[in-house]
Amino acid sequence: MSNTDNKSELEYFKEKEENLASSESASASSSHQSSLDSGDENVGRGNWSGRLDFLLSCIGYAVGLGNIWRFPYLCYQSGGGAFLIPYVIFLILCGMPLFFLEVSYGQFASLSPITVWKISPLFKGVGYGMVIISGIVCVYYNIIITWTIYFLYHSFKAVLPWSTCDNSWNTEKCYVRGKSDLTNGTNGYNVSNVNTTNLFNSSDVAVTFTGLTSNVSKLNTSDRVTASEEFWQREILQITDGIEDLGSIRLELLICLAVAWIVVFLCLCKGVKSSGRVVYVTATFPYLVLTILFIRGVTLPGAGAGIYFYLVPEWEKLLTFKVWGDAAVQIFYSVGMAWGGLITMASYNKFNNNCYRDAMMVPLINCGTSVFAGLVIFSILGFMSHETGVDITKVVTQGPGLTFVAYPEAVAKLPVSPLWAFLFFLMLFSVGLDTQFGMFETMTSAFIDEFPTLLRKRKVLFTAFLCFIEFLLGIPCIMQGGIYVLQIMDWYCAVFSMMLLSLTECVVIGWIYGADRFYKDIELMIGYQPCLWWKICWMVITPVTIICIWLFSVTQLSPVTYGDYKYPDVAIAIGWMLGLVSLLPVPLCALIAILGEQGSLIERIKKLVHHSDDWGPAVEKHRARYLQSLQDSSPHVYLDSVVCTPLVESKDNAASQLS
């Protein structure tokens, strides 16, 4: 197409837009409001149905199990209230800039993580890497939901099975903490085999309960095991001696796993149209339960001591490098960057949605939820410490050891304990389901956008197919030795790849696409440009911060373990391959793209780093404004990228779209 044709095309769209604007309100803000109030503007792909769908989906996606079972322990261990200082600093330097970046370019292009890399086709492998990470995590995240469903089932019993030693799976070593020595033999506590590794922080070595003994007992009781731990190890997991012996499939867990995937399918079978309705319950219900548990917790004896241990500042710990590193890693994993979920959910926004406002709110809500969850957890643990006489420092832990051993044990000591257990595990189910929605929708939307002709009309069937594949991949994790498989996946799959993917997208948009150009794209969406701070973050501060976090994570990484069990070299090698598989698409897709172009190597790379011809807003009336902004910024330069014909077959069709 010639320069003159490009100019006439732009003038045509400009004229049509002016005519359209004259028939509507002269106010730009009311124009944005009108767009938001109408139905789907992206007819082929669809949009969120309600105003709060996107916001609640992002909150539910960002607020995951790590907020409940990782942050409280980390805050207590790293200086209490003083830990919030580095936590908030890294939220501002890394968490919020990356969140804003991803929701902005996802909303601007209305594309999911793979196809959105029309912005710079050479780096399309970054999108594939995000989808691979989400796919792997979906497999074992639903195992966590499976365990939760099994606990929910047992919560309907009048006597919680983890509160007594009278069950078929209990051994002579079992005891109920808090009972007299005449009943239990002693008050020892050993949960050295409980996996307490954080789901989103695979770089941390598992923290274990070992040799916790009663203050009143002088006997050697290191081999005693609490009833809650035996329920976890011998009834839920039925754990084997190692990954070399996976044992048989746990039929009860297989049924729960099937239920979990059926729920995911029913909620996502129609994409955001169905999940957008579900999140009104799943994203808000955890806050209701947390509030109820908090009110109940703070009224219990010993709750004040528990909260004191949680929040009392230890300023001297701020002088240690590990505290700052842990805060940075926690922010990175908890907000949800580089999983592809934020890009996917933002891609279903209407073009003029205020993504800037949303990007400020969600990380702050996520941070506040983490702190609030800690108050709930430590108030109950303080009560258990008071009831049993065991120091709270010997009770607190993180990960599944907290949610499936320590906290259920504490809940079992409450009056009407089945009710509180039911509420707690229903909350965990809701929290896990929301995060699962975001990761699974990332996969389905990515492939449907990449192959729209084949898959868009078969979305329900394709969703069912992916659910079935993920169900099959999860079966090894619900075998008797499945916890060892899950531990490898958790330990390696996202330990360093997510940070490198985030670094790449930050550099590409900040430097190659250009922060100035990106600011103008944001202005097209929300009507104004954000402050200079975000541009500085994307170009300098955030990339440097990511590099530092990555180096810290790599230096802290050690070979995978589970309690005292050490994995064989073959299993460790498989873990490393699992960690690298999400990075392989980056060079592979770049190589394929280069080989598919013509010209010298330099010419091919120059072409591929710049956005493709059809990059830009999906809806024609917004695309016309985008093309006009390109002309205004470079009035003497006309590129093929401003051609509108890939989106509209003729000017008459374009005019009908505008009207």
Side-chain angles (χ1 to χ4, degrees):
M1 178 176 285
S2 66
N3 292 348
T4 304
D5 290 338
N6 283 334
K7 182 181 291 187
S8 63
E9 188 85 10
L10 291 170
E11 290 174 350
Y12 176 83
F13 275 111
K14 184 177 180 181
E15 179 182 352
K16 287 296 180 182
E17 248 200 325
E18 290 174 351
N19 292 337
L20 179 66
S22 64
S23 64
E24 298 175 346
S25 171
S27 169
S29 60
S30 67
S31 175
H32 290 172
Q33 189 74 24
S34 175
S35 176
L36 289 173
D37 288 336
S38 62
D40 291 350
E41 62 178 13
N42 191 336
V43 178
R45 195 168 181 272
N47 298 105
W48 295 104
S49 299
R51 287 184 173 277
L52 293 178
D53 292 14
F54 171 68
L55 184 62
L56 290 176
S57 295
C58 282
I59 293 173
Y61 175 69
V63 176
L65 295 173
N67 298 73
I68 297 172
W69 73 19
R70 167 65 178 169
F71 177 86
Y73 174 85
L74 195 63
C75 184
Y76 151 76
Q77 187 188 49
S78 303
F83 178 74
L84 297 178
I85 295 176
Y87 186 75
V88 172
I89 289 176
F90 283 112
L91 177 69
I92 296 172
L93 297 182
C94 187
M96 296 175 75
L98 284 174
F99 194 101
F100 185 27
L101 180 77
E102 291 197 357
V103 298
S104 295
Y105 78 85
Q107 177 176 309
F108 180 76
S110 298
L111 295 170
S112 47
I114 297 176
T115 319
V116 79
W117 283 95
K118 292 177 180 180
I119 193 173
S120 185
L122 186 67
F123 299 96
K124 189 174 185 177
V126 172
Y128 279 104
M130 293 178 177
V131 173
I132 289 173
I133 290 176
S134 288
I136 294 174
V137 176
C138 266
V139 172
Y140 71 81
Y141 210 92
N142 237 24
I143 302 301
I144 312 297
I145 296 176
T146 297
W147 296 335
T148 303
I149 293 174
Y150 197 55
F151 269 92
L152 268 174
Y153 166 74
H154 283 287
S155 297
F156 284 100
K157 298 181 178 180
V159 178
L160 297 176
W162 58 84
S163 64
T164 71
C165 291
D166 302 326
N167 307 286
S168 60
W169 58 81
N170 291 127
T171 68
E172 67 279 0
K173 297 179 181 180
C174 177
Y175 82 104
V176 178
R177 181 162 35 185
K179 288 189 176 181
S180 67
D181 290 347
L182 294 176
T183 303
N184 282 317
T186 186
N187 281 338
Y189 191 27
N190 173 21
V191 287
S192 59
N193 288 326
V194 178
N195 171 24
T196 58
T197 306
N198 172 38
L199 182 64
F200 291 117
N201 184 14
S202 308
S203 61
D204 277 4
V205 180
V207 180
T208 57
F209 292 131
T210 53
L212 305 181
T213 55
S214 170
N215 293 328
V216 299
S217 176
K218 304 300 182 181
L219 301 175
N220 181 11
T221 60
S222 60
D223 60 343
R224 304 292 286 179
V225 184
T226 62
S228 62
E229 186 203 347
E230 284 207 342
F231 179 75
W232 169 245
Q233 298 281 7
R234 299 179 58 83
E235 168 60 13
I236 299 291
L237 301 180
Q238 295 186 9
I239 191 169
T240 60
D241 293 332
I243 197 171
E244 300 89 347
D245 178 19
L246 287 179
S248 59
I249 295 176
R250 294 275 292 106
L251 182 59
E252 298 91 337
L253 295 184
L254 182 66
I255 295 172
C256 292
L257 180 62
V259 170
W261 278 114
I262 290 172
V263 171
V264 171
F265 170 74
L266 293 176
C267 293
L268 294 178
C269 61
K270 294 184 179 180
V272 296
K273 295 299 183 184
S274 53
S275 67
R277 298 185 182 97
V278 176
V279 294
Y280 280 86
V281 176
T282 57
T284 57
F285 179 74
Y287 290 96
L288 174 62
V289 176
L290 283 174
T291 302
I292 294 173
L293 291 176
F294 174 72
I295 294 173
R296 183 67 184 102
V298 296
T299 59
L300 295 170
I307 294 175
Y308 174 83
F309 274 102
Y310 170 51
L311 290 178
V312 61
E314 297 180 52
W315 303 108
E316 65 278 4
K317 288 192 176 182
L318 293 181
L319 301 177
T320 61
F321 176 71
K322 189 176 186 304
V323 169
W324 289 81
D326 287 341
V329 170
Q330 177 65 16
I331 278 292
F332 196 92
Y333 284 100
S334 67
V335 178
M337 300 85 70
W339 299 82
L342 298 178
I343 301 171
T344 300
M345 290 184 288
S347 70
Y348 290 101
N349 281 336
K350 293 182 179 179
F351 187 77
N352 293 125
N353 175 68
N354 193 341
C355 57
Y356 185 37
R357 173 201 59 204
D358 296 339
M360 299 302 103
M361 291 177 58
V362 175
L364 292 175
I365 292 174
N366 176 66
C367 178
T369 303
S370 297
V371 176
F372 184 50
L375 294 174
V376 175
I377 296 295
F378 272 82
S379 63
I380 299 294
L381 292 182
F383 162 72
M384 185 172 73
S385 173
H386 177 271
E387 289 292 295
T388 61
V390 178
D391 193 282
I392 194 171
T393 60
K394 302 182 185 302
V395 174
V396 64
T397 185
Q398 60 174 325
L402 173 64
T403 54
F404 296 124
V405 178
Y407 199 86
E409 181 186 3
V411 168
K413 298 184 181 301
L414 293 173
V416 200
S417 56
L419 171 63
W420 302 110
F422 174 78
L423 287 176
F424 176 72
F425 288 112
L426 189 61
M427 177 196 68
L428 284 186
F429 176 76
S430 180
V431 168
L433 204 59
D434 270 338
T435 305
Q436 186 77 334
F437 286 168
M439 293 186 293
F440 192 81
E441 184 64 35
T442 297
M443 291 192 297
T444 57
S445 294
F447 289 113
I448 290 173
D449 283 351
E450 189 70 4
F451 308 102
T453 305
L454 177 64
L455 298 176
R456 182 150 290 163
K457 293 182 179 180
R458 301 176 178 89
K459 182 176 178 66
V460 175
L461 182 62
F462 182 64
T463 301
F465 171 75
L466 279 184
C467 284
F468 182 67
I469 295 298
E470 294 272 306
F471 167 75
L472 294 179
L473 292 175
I475 289 178
C477 296
I478 49 97
M479 299 178 72
Q480 290 175 317
I483 188 67
Y484 299 110
V485 179
L486 186 145
Q487 179 77 336
I488 290 179
M489 299 170 71
D490 178 31
W491 198 279
Y492 289 105
C493 83
V495 63
F496 51 81
S497 56
M498 285 176 53
M499 298 179 190
L500 296 180
L501 295 178
S502 284
L503 176 64
T504 303
E505 70 175 347
C506 207
V507 171
V508 168
I509 294 179
W511 291 94
I512 297 177
Y513 185 71
D516 291 333
R517 175 65 256 175
F518 192 52
Y519 257 45
K520 292 179 181 178
D521 294 345
I522 294 174
E523 183 179 11
L524 287 174
M525 292 189 292
I526 65 176
Y528 61 92
Q529 291 192 8
C531 66
L532 184 63
W533 166 254
W534 307 108
K535 186 186 299 184
I536 297 173
C537 284
W538 295 334
M539 297 184 70
V540 181
I541 298 176
T542 302
V544 172
T545 304
I546 293 174
I547 292 174
C548 293
I549 298 173
W550 182 80
L551 291 174
F552 172 80
S553 298
V554 171
T555 57
Q556 296 295 308
L557 184 64
S558 60
V560 59
T561 59
Y562 182 80
D564 294 330
Y565 173 73
K566 295 183 179 180
Y567 283 73
D569 293 339
V570 174
I572 295 174
I574 293 174
W576 277 107
M577 288 189 287
L578 196 64
L580 293 173
V581 70
S582 58
L583 291 178
L584 288 179
V586 179
L588 185 60
C589 289
L591 179 61
I592 294 174
I594 291 173
L595 294 176
E597 291 294 335
Q598 296 180 348
S600 66
L601 179 61
I602 300 300
E603 290 173 343
R604 297 181 187 189
I605 293 176
K606 283 184 177 179
K607 180 178 180 181
L608 289 170
V609 296
H610 294 295
H611 60 79
S612 61
D613 294 349
D614 54 348
W615 163 256
V619 180
E620 279 72 18
K621 63 179 180 180
H622 301 308
R623 183 169 178 81
R625 295 170 55 220
Y626 165 68
L627 298 177
Q628 183 61 54
S629 71
L630 289 181
Q631 184 189 28
D632 294 341
S633 61
S634 302
H636 303 297
V637 179
Y638 300 94
L639 302 174
D640 288 342
S641 60
V642 300
V643 177
C644 290
T645 50
L647 291 179
V648 291
E649 296 179 359
S650 66
K651 292 183 178 181
D652 292 336
N653 189 19
S656 65
Q657 293 287 342
L658 288 171
S659 59

